[in-house]
Amino acid sequence: VMDDSIINPLYGGVDKYIPGECPGIPSSGAIKPVQENRFEDPTDESVMQQLDTFQRHFKDVETFSQTHNNNFYVGHRPVLGIGCNSSHVVTLDWTLQQSLGPTTLDRISGIITGHMHWLQALQFDNDSLPAQLVVGNGGTKLIQNYINQSSISYIDLYVGKPEYNIK
């Protein structure tokens, strides 16, 4: 279980958009969510501190996962979730994704998170990434997830640093 509530999302997060279908979903072919970089200033010390903190936490997650065959990651913010920022499909949490090492999730069976006030379940071909379940209710009414789940036939999702090629 990881407390990742200290992260401040870029532009206030993706749950602040106008109702309707996400205009960034292509009518055919692969959906390629965009990672929104949190650096408005590349020398932003608070972002660097958060990346350092979560890189250390994810190293611990990887180490702990070696002790059991079935491991689940539970956190506040979705690691692999997707959303819409009113113009295109984006991945949910750049900070956590950038903090992943190349093998951090190899022994993680599933990820259960909240934060977004909707229900989203993602399963990846050949179990290339752990299944992600977002169950972010917090006692409030669920908001509509404007990415119509039935319209998504294929998502080409890359997470982490580009050189790791985690997909």
Side-chain angles (χ1 to χ4, degrees):
V1 176
M2 187 184 304
D3 180 5
D4 50 27
S5 60
I6 65 169
I7 298 172
N8 293 317
L10 187 67
Y11 310 125
V14 298
D15 54 352
K16 314 274 190 289
Y17 42 73
I18 301 166
E21 184 72 22
C22 182
I25 296 180
S27 58
S28 63
I31 297 170
K32 297 187 180 196
V34 175
Q35 283 188 345
E36 293 192 324
N37 189 324
R38 283 191 55 224
F39 285 121
E40 292 180 23
D41 171 4
T43 61
D44 187 334
E45 189 60 33
S46 67
V47 174
M48 293 303 296
Q49 288 173 351
Q50 288 181 9
L51 288 172
D52 181 61
T53 296
F54 289 106
Q55 285 168 356
R56 284 186 281 114
H57 288 325
F58 276 129
K59 284 180 185 173
D60 290 341
V61 167
E62 186 170 1
T63 299
F64 295 149
S65 74
Q66 301 304 311
T67 63
H68 293 81
N69 289 329
N70 295 307
N71 301 282
F72 291 87
Y73 171 91
V74 178
H76 176 77
R77 304 178 75 79
V79 179
L80 305 175
I82 59 171
C84 180
N85 74 351
S86 293
S87 63
H88 55 279
V89 180
V90 295
T91 61
L92 304 178
D93 206 280
W94 179 88
T95 304
L96 293 178
Q97 291 178 3
Q98 290 299 303
S99 299
L100 292 170
T103 57
T104 302
L105 300 176
D106 285 358
R107 294 183 52 83
I108 303 298
S109 303
I111 298 174
I112 304 167
T113 62
H115 183 67
M116 303 309 295
H117 289 225
W118 61 47
L119 174 64
Q120 182 177 78
L122 297 173
Q123 184 175 12
F124 299 92
D125 285 344
N126 303 316
D127 296 320
S128 58
L129 290 168
Q132 164 80 62
L133 180 62
V134 180
V135 288
N137 179 276
T140 64
K141 184 179 177 183
L142 292 176
I143 63 173
Q144 184 178 352
N145 181 347
Y146 296 109
I147 297 178
N148 182 344
Q149 305 299 304
S150 64
S151 70
I152 298 176
S153 59
Y154 183 76
I155 300 171
D156 197 359
L157 180 65
Y158 288 84
V159 298
K161 296 180 180 177
E163 61 266 26
Y164 294 159
N165 197 31
I166 303 171
K167 81 175 214 178

